[in-house]
């Protein structure tokens, strides 16, 4: 459901990056609608799913698993879990999670960017996968821009997960991964 809402804005954003001569999102969006129709806003839905599903699953599962493992390890070594530990563990777990979710979703992000970068390009997702796979980069082509994505997603995910964990505790719910 989130991908259905996000895809039109991603299509518009990528088109604006690919064609910086356009003057704003309204102008770009109107041009897309006039020249390509409504479907231009959704032609990247499959790549969007290839990006968002691995991202979301990796983010949610790994944060829970990593925090639980960290707390279990600390308690097993006799550490006392105090308020500062309940800030450091989620922060470190969120940072690792952000890297993992970036890596898991990078191939889908490459597909999405290539799908939307060119005007009126009617290629299918499988055609783009084939093009990247058979390029001189091979499988590495699916990870173009990874460093930038890790920085961008890293900051965003780390902050999101810290807020998530803090809100849980404010509401009286145990810290993520902490069973006491």
């Amino acid at each position: 459901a989130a991908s259905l809402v996000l895809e039109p804005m991603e299509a518009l954003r990528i088109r604006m990056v690919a064609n910086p001569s356009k003057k704003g999102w309204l102008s770009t969006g109107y041009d897309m609608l006039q020249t390509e129709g409504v479907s231009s806003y959704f032609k990247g839905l499959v790549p969007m799913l290839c990006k968002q599903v691995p991202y979301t699953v990796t983010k949610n599962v790994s944060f829970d698993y990593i925090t639980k493992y960290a707390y279990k390890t600390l308690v097993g070594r006799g550490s006392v879990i105090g308020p500062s530990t309940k800030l450091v563990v989620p922060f470190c777990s969120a940072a690792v999670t952000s890297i993992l979710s970036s890596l898991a979703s990078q191939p889908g992000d490459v597909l999405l960017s290539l799908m939307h970068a060119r005007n009126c390009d009617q290629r299918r997702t499988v055609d783009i996968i084939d093009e990247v796979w058979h390029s001189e980069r091979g499988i590495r082509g699916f990870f173009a821009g990874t460093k930038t994505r890790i920085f961008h997603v890293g900051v965003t995910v780390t902050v999101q997960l810290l807020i998530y964990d803090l809100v849980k505790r404010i509401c009286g719910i145990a810290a993520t991964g902490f069973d006491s």
Side-chain angles (χ1 to χ4, degrees):
S3 293
L4 285 172
V5 174
L6 184 58
E7 170 52 21
M9 293 310 293
E10 280 289 296
L12 188 56
R13 179 190 66 80
I14 293 167
R15 187 63 59 85
M16 289 176 66
V17 170
N19 299 314
S21 62
K22 297 289 183 186
K23 299 194 189 289
W25 66 273
L26 283 175
S27 173
T28 304
Y30 183 73
D31 286 351
M32 284 174 65
L33 185 62
Q34 290 297 104
T35 59
E36 301 169 61
V38 174
S39 65
S40 67
Y41 292 107
F42 295 97
K43 74 179 184 179
L45 188 58
V46 172
M48 175 62 76
L49 292 170
C50 291
K51 171 186 169 183
Q52 287 302 111
V53 171
Y55 166 82
T56 303
V57 170
T58 303
K59 182 176 82 165
N60 294 339
V61 173
S62 62
F63 182 64
D64 286 349
Y65 179 78
I66 292 168
T67 53
K68 186 175 203 118
Y69 180 79
Y71 283 126
K72 184 178 179 181
T73 301
L74 289 171
V75 169
R77 292 184 178 174
S79 297
V80 175
I81 307 298
S84 62
T85 306
K86 287 184 182 178
L87 186 60
V88 171
V89 167
F91 175 78
C92 293
S93 298
V96 171
T97 294
S98 70
I99 293 167
L100 294 174
S101 59
S102 293
L103 293 173
S105 61
Q106 181 63 23
D109 193 52
V110 168
L111 295 176
L112 184 65
S113 295
L114 291 173
M115 177 68 77
H116 285 299
R118 300 181 186 110
N119 276 341
C120 301
D121 192 8
Q122 298 302 316
R123 294 180 302 166
R124 298 172 303 150
T125 303
V126 71
D127 298 330
I128 296 171
I129 291 170
D130 189 55
E131 179 183 311
V132 172
W133 186 267
H134 290 98
S135 72
E136 65 183 45
R137 288 184 172 181
I139 197 166
R140 291 177 306 151
F142 292 106
F143 293 92
T146 298
K147 290 177 188 175
T148 304
R149 182 162 172 77
I150 287 174
F151 178 72
H152 169 254
V153 173
V155 172
T156 304
V157 169
T158 301
V159 170
Q160 283 176 345
L161 292 173
L162 281 175
I163 291 170
Y164 165 72
D165 193 62
L166 290 171
V167 169
K168 280 177 62 176
R169 290 189 283 146
I170 289 169
C171 292
I173 302 169
T176 304
F178 188 68
D179 297 328
S180 277

Short mmCIF file of all heavy atoms in Angstrom, two decimals, residues 35-88:
data_model
loop_
_atom_site.label_atom_id
_atom_site.label_comp_id
_atom_site.label_asym_id
_atom_site.label_seq_id
_atom_site.Cartn_x
_atom_site.Cartn_y
_atom_site.Cartn_z
N THR A 35 2.46 14.09 -21.80
CA THR A 35 3.19 13.32 -22.81
C THR A 35 3.10 11.81 -22.63
O THR A 35 3.17 11.08 -23.62
CB THR A 35 4.68 13.72 -22.84
OG1 THR A 35 5.25 13.48 -21.55
CG2 THR A 35 4.86 15.18 -23.23
N GLU A 36 2.94 11.36 -21.37
CA GLU A 36 2.99 9.92 -21.12
C GLU A 36 1.72 9.35 -20.49
O GLU A 36 1.56 8.14 -20.42
CB GLU A 36 4.17 9.60 -20.21
CG GLU A 36 5.51 10.03 -20.77
CD GLU A 36 6.60 9.93 -19.73
OE1 GLU A 36 6.85 8.82 -19.23
OE2 GLU A 36 7.20 10.98 -19.42
N GLY A 37 0.88 10.22 -19.98
CA GLY A 37 -0.36 9.76 -19.36
C GLY A 37 -0.18 9.40 -17.89
O GLY A 37 0.92 9.44 -17.34
N VAL A 38 -1.27 9.03 -17.26
CA VAL A 38 -1.30 8.71 -15.84
C VAL A 38 -0.39 7.52 -15.53
O VAL A 38 0.23 7.45 -14.47
CB VAL A 38 -2.74 8.41 -15.36
CG1 VAL A 38 -2.78 7.93 -13.93
CG2 VAL A 38 -3.61 9.65 -15.53
N SER A 39 -0.28 6.60 -16.47
CA SER A 39 0.53 5.39 -16.23
C SER A 39 1.99 5.72 -15.96
O SER A 39 2.70 4.92 -15.33
CB SER A 39 0.41 4.42 -17.39
OG SER A 39 0.96 4.98 -18.56
N SER A 40 2.47 6.90 -16.40
CA SER A 40 3.87 7.26 -16.18
C SER A 40 4.18 7.39 -14.69
O SER A 40 5.32 7.23 -14.28
CB SER A 40 4.22 8.57 -16.89
OG SER A 40 3.52 9.66 -16.32
N TYR A 41 3.16 7.66 -13.89
CA TYR A 41 3.37 7.79 -12.46
C TYR A 41 3.48 6.43 -11.76
O TYR A 41 3.89 6.36 -10.62
CB TYR A 41 2.23 8.57 -11.82
CG TYR A 41 2.19 10.01 -12.23
CD1 TYR A 41 1.22 10.48 -13.09
CD2 TYR A 41 3.14 10.91 -11.75
CE1 TYR A 41 1.18 11.80 -13.47
CE2 TYR A 41 3.11 12.24 -12.13
CZ TYR A 41 2.13 12.68 -12.98
OH TYR A 41 2.11 13.99 -13.36
N PHE A 42 3.09 5.36 -12.46
CA PHE A 42 3.08 4.04 -11.83
C PHE A 42 3.92 3.00 -12.58
O PHE A 42 3.91 1.84 -12.20
CB PHE A 42 1.63 3.53 -11.70
CG PHE A 42 0.83 4.37 -10.76
CD1 PHE A 42 0.00 5.38 -11.25
CD2 PHE A 42 0.90 4.17 -9.40
CE1 PHE A 42 -0.72 6.17 -10.38
CE2 PHE A 42 0.18 4.96 -8.52
CZ PHE A 42 -0.65 5.96 -9.01
N LYS A 43 4.65 3.42 -13.61
CA LYS A 43 5.40 2.43 -14.39
C LYS A 43 6.54 1.82 -13.59
O LYS A 43 7.01 0.75 -13.94
CB LYS A 43 5.90 3.04 -15.69
CG LYS A 43 7.05 4.00 -15.57
CD LYS A 43 7.47 4.51 -16.94
CE LYS A 43 8.69 5.40 -16.85
NZ LYS A 43 9.09 5.85 -18.16
N GLY A 44 6.92 2.43 -12.50
CA GLY A 44 8.00 1.89 -11.67
C GLY A 44 7.50 1.13 -10.45
O GLY A 44 8.25 0.94 -9.50
N LEU A 45 6.24 0.70 -10.47
CA LEU A 45 5.69 0.02 -9.30
C LEU A 45 6.44 -1.28 -8.98
O LEU A 45 6.74 -1.55 -7.81
CB LEU A 45 4.19 -0.25 -9.47
CG LEU A 45 3.49 -0.78 -8.23
CD1 LEU A 45 3.63 0.17 -7.05
CD2 LEU A 45 2.02 -1.04 -8.53
N VAL A 46 6.78 -2.07 -9.97
CA VAL A 46 7.52 -3.32 -9.70
C VAL A 46 8.90 -3.01 -9.12
O VAL A 46 9.28 -3.58 -8.08
CB VAL A 46 7.60 -4.21 -10.96
CG1 VAL A 46 8.53 -5.39 -10.74
CG2 VAL A 46 6.21 -4.70 -11.34
N PRO A 47 9.68 -2.09 -9.72
CA PRO A 47 10.95 -1.73 -9.08
C PRO A 47 10.76 -1.13 -7.68
O PRO A 47 11.58 -1.37 -6.79
CB PRO A 47 11.57 -0.71 -10.03
CG PRO A 47 10.98 -1.02 -11.35
CD PRO A 47 9.58 -1.49 -11.07
N MET A 48 9.68 -0.37 -7.50
CA MET A 48 9.41 0.20 -6.17
C MET A 48 9.21 -0.92 -5.15
O MET A 48 9.72 -0.86 -4.04
CB MET A 48 8.16 1.09 -6.22
CG MET A 48 7.73 1.62 -4.85
SD MET A 48 8.95 2.66 -4.05
CE MET A 48 8.74 4.16 -4.96
N LEU A 49 8.49 -1.95 -5.54
CA LEU A 49 8.30 -3.10 -4.65
C LEU A 49 9.62 -3.83 -4.41
O LEU A 49 9.88 -4.29 -3.30
CB LEU A 49 7.24 -4.05 -5.20
CG LEU A 49 5.81 -3.50 -5.22
CD1 LEU A 49 4.90 -4.41 -6.02
CD2 LEU A 49 5.29 -3.30 -3.81
N CYS A 50 10.47 -3.89 -5.46
CA CYS A 50 11.79 -4.52 -5.31
C CYS A 50 12.68 -3.72 -4.36
O CYS A 50 13.64 -4.25 -3.80
CB CYS A 50 12.48 -4.63 -6.67
SG CYS A 50 11.73 -5.81 -7.79
N LYS A 51 12.38 -2.47 -4.20
CA LYS A 51 13.12 -1.61 -3.29
C LYS A 51 12.50 -1.62 -1.89
O LYS A 51 13.18 -1.84 -0.89
CB LYS A 51 13.12 -0.17 -3.84
CG LYS A 51 13.67 0.88 -2.92
CD LYS A 51 13.48 2.27 -3.51
CE LYS A 51 13.77 3.36 -2.51
NZ LYS A 51 13.51 4.69 -3.05
N GLN A 52 11.20 -1.37 -1.80
CA GLN A 52 10.55 -1.16 -0.52
C GLN A 52 10.37 -2.43 0.31
O GLN A 52 10.48 -2.38 1.53
CB GLN A 52 9.18 -0.50 -0.72
CG GLN A 52 9.27 0.97 -1.10
CD GLN A 52 10.01 1.80 -0.09
OE1 GLN A 52 11.11 2.29 -0.35
NE2 GLN A 52 9.45 1.97 1.08
N VAL A 53 10.05 -3.55 -0.32
CA VAL A 53 9.83 -4.78 0.46
C VAL A 53 11.12 -5.22 1.16
O VAL A 53 11.11 -5.42 2.38
CB VAL A 53 9.19 -5.89 -0.40
CG1 VAL A 53 9.16 -7.21 0.34
CG2 VAL A 53 7.77 -5.48 -0.82
N PRO A 54 12.25 -5.35 0.44
CA PRO A 54 13.48 -5.72 1.16
C PRO A 54 13.89 -4.68 2.21
O PRO A 54 14.35 -5.03 3.29
CB PRO A 54 14.54 -5.82 0.06
CG PRO A 54 13.79 -5.98 -1.20
CD PRO A 54 12.48 -5.28 -1.01
N TYR A 55 13.70 -3.41 1.88
CA TYR A 55 14.03 -2.33 2.82
C TYR A 55 13.23 -2.46 4.11
O TYR A 55 13.79 -2.45 5.21
CB TYR A 55 13.76 -0.98 2.14
CG TYR A 55 13.75 0.19 3.08
CD1 TYR A 55 14.94 0.79 3.48
CD2 TYR A 55 12.55 0.73 3.55
CE1 TYR A 55 14.94 1.88 4.34
CE2 TYR A 55 12.54 1.81 4.41
CZ TYR A 55 13.72 2.38 4.79
OH TYR A 55 13.72 3.44 5.65
N THR A 56 11.92 -2.60 3.98
CA THR A 56 11.05 -2.63 5.15
C THR A 56 11.27 -3.89 5.98
O THR A 56 11.38 -3.82 7.21
CB THR A 56 9.58 -2.52 4.71
OG1 THR A 56 9.42 -1.31 3.95
CG2 THR A 56 8.64 -2.48 5.90
N VAL A 57 11.35 -5.03 5.32
CA VAL A 57 11.56 -6.28 6.04
C VAL A 57 12.90 -6.25 6.76
O VAL A 57 13.00 -6.58 7.95
CB VAL A 57 11.46 -7.49 5.08
CG1 VAL A 57 11.93 -8.77 5.77
CG2 VAL A 57 10.04 -7.65 4.58
N THR A 58 13.95 -5.84 6.06
CA THR A 58 15.27 -5.79 6.67
C THR A 58 15.30 -4.81 7.83
O THR A 58 15.84 -5.12 8.90
CB THR A 58 16.34 -5.41 5.63
OG1 THR A 58 16.30 -6.35 4.56
CG2 THR A 58 17.73 -5.39 6.24
N LYS A 59 14.71 -3.65 7.65
CA LYS A 59 14.70 -2.63 8.71
C LYS A 59 13.99 -3.14 9.95
O LYS A 59 14.54 -3.07 11.06
CB LYS A 59 14.03 -1.35 8.21
CG LYS A 59 14.03 -0.23 9.24
CD LYS A 59 13.44 1.04 8.68
CE LYS A 59 11.95 0.98 8.74
NZ LYS A 59 11.30 2.27 8.55
N ASN A 60 12.81 -3.67 9.79
CA ASN A 60 12.03 -4.09 10.96
C ASN A 60 12.61 -5.33 11.64
O ASN A 60 12.74 -5.37 12.86
CB ASN A 60 10.58 -4.32 10.57
CG ASN A 60 9.90 -3.04 10.15
OD1 ASN A 60 10.33 -1.95 10.47
ND2 ASN A 60 8.82 -3.17 9.39
N VAL A 61 12.95 -6.33 10.87
CA VAL A 61 13.44 -7.58 11.45
C VAL A 61 14.83 -7.40 12.05
O VAL A 61 15.08 -7.84 13.18
CB VAL A 61 13.43 -8.71 10.40
CG1 VAL A 61 14.10 -9.96 10.93
CG2 VAL A 61 11.99 -9.02 9.98
N SER A 62 15.73 -6.76 11.32
CA SER A 62 17.09 -6.67 11.84
C SER A 62 17.18 -5.77 13.07
O SER A 62 17.95 -6.07 13.99
CB SER A 62 18.07 -6.22 10.75
OG SER A 62 17.77 -4.94 10.28
N PHE A 63 16.40 -4.70 13.14
CA PHE A 63 16.45 -3.85 14.34
C PHE A 63 16.01 -4.65 15.56
O PHE A 63 16.68 -4.61 16.60
CB PHE A 63 15.57 -2.61 14.16
CG PHE A 63 15.62 -1.67 15.34
CD1 PHE A 63 16.80 -1.03 15.68
CD2 PHE A 63 14.49 -1.42 16.09
CE1 PHE A 63 16.86 -0.16 16.76
CE2 PHE A 63 14.54 -0.55 17.17
CZ PHE A 63 15.73 0.08 17.50
N ASP A 64 14.92 -5.37 15.44
CA ASP A 64 14.45 -6.18 16.58
C ASP A 64 15.49 -7.25 16.95
O ASP A 64 15.81 -7.44 18.12
CB ASP A 64 13.12 -6.86 16.25
CG ASP A 64 11.95 -5.89 16.26
OD1 ASP A 64 12.11 -4.75 16.70
OD2 ASP A 64 10.86 -6.31 15.82
N TYR A 65 16.01 -7.94 15.95
CA TYR A 65 16.98 -9.01 16.21
C TYR A 65 18.27 -8.46 16.80
O TYR A 65 18.79 -9.01 17.78
CB TYR A 65 17.27 -9.78 14.92
CG TYR A 65 18.27 -10.88 15.13
CD1 TYR A 65 17.89 -12.09 15.72
CD2 TYR A 65 19.60 -10.71 14.79
CE1 TYR A 65 18.82 -13.10 15.95
CE2 TYR A 65 20.53 -11.71 15.01
CZ TYR A 65 20.14 -12.90 15.59
OH TYR A 65 21.06 -13.88 15.83
N ILE A 66 18.81 -7.41 16.23
CA ILE A 66 20.10 -6.87 16.69
C ILE A 66 19.98 -6.31 18.10
O ILE A 66 20.86 -6.55 18.94
CB ILE A 66 20.64 -5.80 15.71
CG1 ILE A 66 21.01 -6.46 14.38
CG2 ILE A 66 21.84 -5.06 16.29
CD1 ILE A 66 21.27 -5.48 13.25
N THR A 67 18.92 -5.58 18.41
CA THR A 67 18.77 -5.06 19.78
C THR A 67 18.60 -6.20 20.78
O THR A 67 19.20 -6.18 21.85
CB THR A 67 17.58 -4.08 19.90
OG1 THR A 67 16.40 -4.69 19.40
CG2 THR A 67 17.85 -2.78 19.18
N LYS A 68 17.81 -7.19 20.42
CA LYS A 68 17.61 -8.34 21.32
C LYS A 68 18.94 -9.05 21.57
O LYS A 68 19.27 -9.40 22.71
CB LYS A 68 16.58 -9.31 20.72
CG LYS A 68 16.21 -10.43 21.65
CD LYS A 68 15.10 -11.27 21.03
CE LYS A 68 14.37 -12.00 22.10
NZ LYS A 68 12.99 -11.66 22.24
N TYR A 69 19.71 -9.27 20.52
CA TYR A 69 21.01 -9.93 20.64
C TYR A 69 21.96 -9.09 21.51
O TYR A 69 22.67 -9.63 22.36
CB TYR A 69 21.61 -10.18 19.26
CG TYR A 69 22.96 -10.85 19.31
CD1 TYR A 69 23.06 -12.22 19.51
CD2 TYR A 69 24.12 -10.10 19.15
CE1 TYR A 69 24.30 -12.83 19.58
CE2 TYR A 69 25.36 -10.71 19.22
CZ TYR A 69 25.45 -12.07 19.43
OH TYR A 69 26.68 -12.67 19.50
N ALA A 70 21.97 -7.79 21.30
CA ALA A 70 22.87 -6.91 22.07
C ALA A 70 22.51 -6.93 23.56
O ALA A 70 23.40 -7.07 24.41
CB ALA A 70 22.80 -5.49 21.53
N TYR A 71 21.24 -6.80 23.87
CA TYR A 71 20.82 -6.85 25.28
C TYR A 71 21.14 -8.20 25.91
O TYR A 71 21.63 -8.29 27.03
CB TYR A 71 19.33 -6.55 25.43
CG TYR A 71 18.98 -5.08 25.30
CD1 TYR A 71 18.02 -4.68 24.38
CD2 TYR A 71 19.57 -4.12 26.10
CE1 TYR A 71 17.68 -3.33 24.27
CE2 TYR A 71 19.24 -2.79 26.00
CZ TYR A 71 18.29 -2.39 25.07
OH TYR A 71 17.95 -1.07 24.97
N LYS A 72 20.86 -9.28 25.18
CA LYS A 72 21.12 -10.63 25.68
C LYS A 72 22.62 -10.81 25.96
O LYS A 72 23.01 -11.38 26.98
CB LYS A 72 20.63 -11.66 24.67
CG LYS A 72 20.77 -13.09 25.13
CD LYS A 72 20.20 -14.03 24.07
CE LYS A 72 20.34 -15.48 24.50
NZ LYS A 72 19.82 -16.39 23.49
N THR A 73 23.45 -10.32 25.05
CA THR A 73 24.90 -10.41 25.22
C THR A 73 25.36 -9.61 26.44
O THR A 73 26.16 -10.09 27.24
CB THR A 73 25.63 -9.91 23.95
OG1 THR A 73 25.21 -10.73 22.85
CG2 THR A 73 27.13 -9.98 24.10
N LEU A 74 24.85 -8.39 26.58
CA LEU A 74 25.23 -7.55 27.72
C LEU A 74 24.80 -8.16 29.05
O LEU A 74 25.59 -8.20 30.00
CB LEU A 74 24.64 -6.14 27.57
CG LEU A 74 25.26 -5.28 26.47
CD1 LEU A 74 24.45 -4.01 26.27
CD2 LEU A 74 26.70 -4.95 26.80
N VAL A 75 23.58 -8.64 29.11
CA VAL A 75 23.07 -9.27 30.34
C VAL A 75 23.87 -10.54 30.63
O VAL A 75 24.23 -10.81 31.78
CB VAL A 75 21.55 -9.57 30.23
CG1 VAL A 75 21.09 -10.46 31.36
CG2 VAL A 75 20.76 -8.27 30.22
N GLY A 76 24.18 -11.31 29.59
CA GLY A 76 24.97 -12.53 29.75
C GLY A 76 26.37 -12.27 30.29
O GLY A 76 26.98 -13.13 30.94
N ARG A 77 26.89 -11.09 30.05
CA ARG A 77 28.22 -10.72 30.55
C ARG A 77 28.15 -10.00 31.89
O ARG A 77 29.15 -9.48 32.37
CB ARG A 77 28.93 -9.84 29.53
CG ARG A 77 29.28 -10.60 28.27
CD ARG A 77 30.05 -9.77 27.31
NE ARG A 77 30.39 -10.56 26.13
CZ ARG A 77 30.96 -10.09 25.08
NH1 ARG A 77 31.29 -8.81 25.02
NH2 ARG A 77 31.23 -10.87 24.07
N GLY A 78 26.94 -9.94 32.44
CA GLY A 78 26.78 -9.35 33.78
C GLY A 78 26.58 -7.85 33.79
O GLY A 78 26.64 -7.22 34.85
N SER A 79 26.35 -7.22 32.65
CA SER A 79 26.14 -5.77 32.61
C SER A 79 24.77 -5.41 33.17
O SER A 79 23.81 -6.14 33.01
CB SER A 79 26.23 -5.27 31.17
OG SER A 79 27.51 -5.49 30.64
N VAL A 80 24.73 -4.26 33.82
CA VAL A 80 23.46 -3.71 34.30
C VAL A 80 22.89 -2.85 33.17
O VAL A 80 23.59 -2.01 32.61
CB VAL A 80 23.67 -2.88 35.57
CG1 VAL A 80 22.37 -2.21 36.00
CG2 VAL A 80 24.24 -3.73 36.69
N ILE A 81 21.63 -3.09 32.84
CA ILE A 81 20.99 -2.34 31.76
C ILE A 81 20.30 -1.12 32.35
O ILE A 81 19.23 -1.21 32.94
CB ILE A 81 19.97 -3.22 31.00
CG1 ILE A 81 20.61 -4.53 30.53
CG2 ILE A 81 19.35 -2.45 29.84
CD1 ILE A 81 21.76 -4.37 29.57
N GLY A 82 20.96 0.02 32.22
CA GLY A 82 20.42 1.27 32.73
C GLY A 82 19.92 2.15 31.60
O GLY A 82 19.93 1.75 30.43
N PRO A 83 19.52 3.38 31.94
CA PRO A 83 18.99 4.29 30.92
C PRO A 83 19.98 4.60 29.79
O PRO A 83 19.58 4.68 28.63
CB PRO A 83 18.67 5.56 31.71
CG PRO A 83 18.51 5.11 33.12
CD PRO A 83 19.40 3.93 33.28
N SER A 84 21.25 4.74 30.11
CA SER A 84 22.22 5.06 29.05
C SER A 84 22.39 3.86 28.11
O SER A 84 22.54 4.03 26.90
CB SER A 84 23.56 5.48 29.64
OG SER A 84 24.13 4.45 30.40
N THR A 85 22.35 2.65 28.66
CA THR A 85 22.45 1.46 27.83
C THR A 85 21.25 1.37 26.90
O THR A 85 21.38 0.98 25.73
CB THR A 85 22.52 0.18 28.69
OG1 THR A 85 23.59 0.33 29.62
CG2 THR A 85 22.75 -1.06 27.86
N LYS A 86 20.08 1.78 27.41
CA LYS A 86 18.86 1.73 26.60
C LYS A 86 18.84 2.84 25.54
O LYS A 86 17.92 2.91 24.74
CB LYS A 86 17.62 1.82 27.48
CG LYS A 86 17.37 0.54 28.26
CD LYS A 86 16.08 0.64 29.05
CE LYS A 86 15.86 -0.61 29.86
NZ LYS A 86 14.64 -0.51 30.67
N LEU A 87 19.84 3.68 25.53
CA LEU A 87 20.00 4.65 24.45
C LEU A 87 21.10 4.20 23.48
O LEU A 87 20.93 4.28 22.27
CB LEU A 87 20.35 6.02 25.03
CG LEU A 87 20.42 7.17 24.04
CD1 LEU A 87 19.08 7.37 23.33
CD2 LEU A 87 20.84 8.44 24.73
N VAL A 88 22.19 3.67 24.04
CA VAL A 88 23.32 3.26 23.21
C VAL A 88 22.98 2.03 22.37
O VAL A 88 23.29 1.98 21.17
CB VAL A 88 24.58 3.00 24.09
CG1 VAL A 88 25.70 2.36 23.27
CG2 VAL A 88 25.05 4.29 24.72
#
